[in-house]
Amino acid sequence: MVHYDPDLDVAVLAVDTADLEPLELDETVDAEDPVAIVGYPQDGPFDVRTGRVRARHDLRSPDIYGTGTVVREVYSVRGLVRPGNSGGPDRHPPG
């Protein structure tokens, strides 16, 4: 691991990419933009569905350690998001 940001809950990894082109990073997202909803929903096989962005929100939420708060960019999407999809709802809520 090269860098870890606990506020964003993002890690940057170093990998050998000698013969690969880097992906372009597009930071523009607007309402109605298309999205891919991907993962292994409900412990099933890999699944990809289409959806779209409804809105962007800045929300205050607990940090990943539960010791502080951070403000995160959160996107509401329109589409079928099931437990097991990346960023999907937790199948076992706390409590």
Side-chain angles (χ1 to χ4, degrees), residues 12-30:
V12 176
L13 307 177
V15 295
D16 181 12
T17 60
D19 56 342
L20 297 175
E21 290 273 331
L23 295 174
E24 289 185 34
L25 180 62
D26 183 354
E27 296 186 44
T28 61
V29 178
D30 293 312

Side-chain angles (χ1 to χ4, degrees), residues 30-33 52-57 75-79:
D30 293 312
E32 304 298 321
D33 281 353
R52 64 183 169 89
V53 173
R54 288 187 73 182
R56 177 191 172 276
H57 309 278
Y75 295 87
S76 60
V77 297
R78 206 160 159 89

Side-chain angles (χ1 to χ4, degrees), residues 27-92:
E27 296 186 44
T28 61
V29 178
D30 293 312
E32 304 298 321
D33 281 353
V35 298
I37 301 167
V38 300
Y40 298 88
Q42 299 164 321
D43 296 326
F46 183 69
D47 186 63
V48 179
R49 305 269 175 147
T50 60
R52 64 183 169 89
V53 173
R54 288 187 73 182
R56 177 191 172 276
H57 309 278
D58 289 326
L59 300 180
R60 183 172 304 281
S61 63
D63 66 19
I64 65 167
Y65 302 108
T67 59
T69 60
V70 295
V71 176
R72 300 180 192 274
E73 290 180 19
V74 177
Y75 295 87
S76 60
V77 297
R78 206 160 159 89
L80 181 59
V81 180
R82 299 175 287 172
N85 288 128
S86 181
D90 190 350
R91 202 166 44 126
H92 305 288

